[in-house]
Amino acid sequence: MLETSARLLRLLALLQAHRDWSGAELAGRLEVSPRTVRRDVDKLRLLGYPINATGGVGGGYQLAAGASLPPLLLDDEEAVAVAVGLRTAAAGAVTGIAETSVRALAKLDQVLPPRLRYRVNTLSSAMVTMPMSGPTVDPSTLTAIASAVRDHRRLRFDYVSHDGSESVRDVEPYRLVNGGRRWYLFAWDTERSDWRRFRVDRLSPRVPTGPRFVPRPLPSDDLAGYLALGMTTERHRYRAVLTMHGSARAVADEVPPTLGVVEPVDDDTCVLRIGSDSLDHLAVWVAAFGFEFEVHEPPELVEHLRTLTARLRRAAWRDSPGTAPAGTPSPEGPGPS
């Protein structure tokens, strides 16, 4: 049987790891009687841990939110993950996150055992985090959205679109999406009766939140893939579909997820879906990825590639008249038939 102090720490770790425990489950885990569990719970309450009893006599226990944050118990892997995450967050896209992360990291670093501090320092010394540019998001805005998502409450906010127009939106919020440099809200727009994605740095939530809503099925089981396709392809004027002669992993190494979506076909080929408002951009991108490829859509891209290829050939051979490969149009264009 564990000593009292060790048993209290074990009980606290169990309560923090799982939302609800029955008294019998806790007694079995700790190898004590339910009466001892009740006494230990009372001791933790005296130390400031808000623990609610559920279900009356013989019921269960639940670690609740309190007026202040009590000490948390982290295992080795959790402590390393938190420390590395705090260091990385110093360059995040949330307003004021750098200073807050440094303060929290200083507190954590003070209590890390030497073996874990060494692991954290080893990882940190090898990491370089690129600073974020552009607008940042206020933490209170993220918290307000996350709370509405959790509680299934309608959200109203003032929104500034990419062209500067302002509007008031009423949505059912479903997910907060982090796209690296940007935070997005994925929601059902009640006025437009459709799914929409909103830049969080462009919205200002109105309080209080709206009524509860019954969650509707998401548009895809693979929400990350659905959002990536919408952000990289669907919103553009030209939507290209190409077969790339390279493995999905190799192509994905060259195509950032913010630019295109890669779908594996077999070990040697994959499908790339990519969009742009400019055929020039599409043509240069697909040619620069370094793979043989075939264009399936749009037909305008095929014709544009032919025009661009002829232009590049003329530029490459302009200073060497008479040496261009057979079939290459001259700088002046094709001769008479």
Side-chain angles (χ1 to χ4, degrees):
M1 182 182 298
L2 295 173
E3 295 294 333
T4 302
S5 58
R7 193 175 65 244
L8 287 176
L9 290 174
R10 174 63 176 154
L11 173 58
L12 181 58
L14 290 171
L15 290 170
Q16 289 179 345
H18 191 57
R19 184 67 175 171
D20 298 291
W21 289 96
S22 70
E25 287 177 318
L26 290 174
R29 290 293 190 101
L30 299 172
E31 299 180 350
V32 297
S33 67
R35 183 180 180 183
T36 300
V37 171
R38 290 195 296 271
R39 288 177 176 175
D40 287 348
V41 166
D42 288 338
K43 291 175 183 177
L44 288 177
R45 286 170 175 159
L46 290 175
L47 293 173
Y49 293 94
I51 303 173
N52 295 334
T54 60
V57 178
Y61 299 96
Q62 179 185 86
L63 187 63
S68 59
L69 180 67
L72 300 176
L73 294 179
L74 302 174
D75 63 28
D76 286 5
E77 298 303 321
E78 291 170 340
V80 171
V82 170
V84 173
L86 287 171
R87 291 180 186 269
T88 305
V94 180
T95 304
I97 196 68
E99 180 183 354
T100 306
S101 299
V102 169
R103 290 203 312 268
L105 183 60
K107 294 178 181 179
L108 182 60
D109 191 64
Q110 184 177 353
V111 297
L112 282 177
R115 69 180 188 282
L116 296 186
R117 187 178 297 111
Y118 175 79
R119 288 176 60 185
V120 171
N121 289 337
T122 299
L123 284 170
S124 300
S125 63
M127 291 170 54
V128 176
T129 303
M130 299 294 289
M132 295 292 182
S133 59
T136 56
V137 177
D138 192 284
S140 62
T141 300
L142 290 176
T143 302
I145 295 174
S147 298
V149 171
R150 178 197 62 201
D151 298 335
H152 305 308
R153 289 193 173 277
R154 293 251 295 264
L155 190 66
R156 298 181 73 238
F157 52 86
D158 299 295
Y159 192 68
V160 180
S161 65
H162 64 90
D163 61 2
S165 60
E166 300 180 4
S167 60
V168 178
R169 313 302 281 266
D170 187 306
V171 305
E172 297 174 359
Y174 282 84
R175 293 291 187 274
L176 267 175
V177 182
N178 180 243
R181 296 188 305 113
R182 298 281 184 267
W183 284 92
Y184 299 92
L185 165 63
F186 182 68
W188 177 264
D189 192 313
T190 58
E191 182 178 346
R192 292 158 178 80
S193 297
D194 198 4
W195 296 102
R196 288 290 189 271
R197 183 185 67 253
F198 302 94
R199 284 256 302 261
V200 175
D201 59 283
R202 292 176 176 168
L203 67 82
S204 301
R206 293 192 172 194
V207 293
T209 54
R212 285 182 174 271
F213 63 89
V214 177
R216 64 186 73 233
L218 292 171
S220 173
D221 292 335
D222 179 15
L223 189 57
Y226 174 87
L227 291 170
L229 187 62
M231 294 170 66
T232 61
T233 305
E234 300 296 339
R235 65 191 180 97
H236 292 294
R237 177 182 178 186
Y238 300 107
R239 306 167 187 178
V241 180
L242 308 98
T243 293
M244 308 295 288
H245 290 269
S247 68
R249 175 173 294 183
V251 174
D253 285 342
E254 299 296 326
V255 183
T258 54
L259 191 62
V261 175
V262 179
E263 302 169 359
V265 174
D266 52 39
D267 292 341
D268 300 314
T269 59
C270 61
V271 171
L272 172 63
R273 301 180 186 275
I274 189 171
S276 177
D277 293 330
S278 165
L279 286 173
D280 279 324
H281 288 171
L282 281 178
V284 171
W285 286 340
V286 299
F289 290 146
F291 300 92
E292 298 293 322
F293 62 90
E294 300 160 15
V295 179
H296 303 292
E297 306 177 13
E300 301 99 314
L301 179 58
V302 176
E303 185 60 33
H304 200 74
L305 283 169
R306 290 173 179 154
T307 302
L308 182 60
T309 299
R311 187 186 308 153
L312 292 173
R313 283 178 174 173
R314 290 194 297 270
W317 295 96
R318 191 177 299 276
D319 294 332
S320 304
T323 60
T328 301
S330 69
E332 293 75 22
S337 57

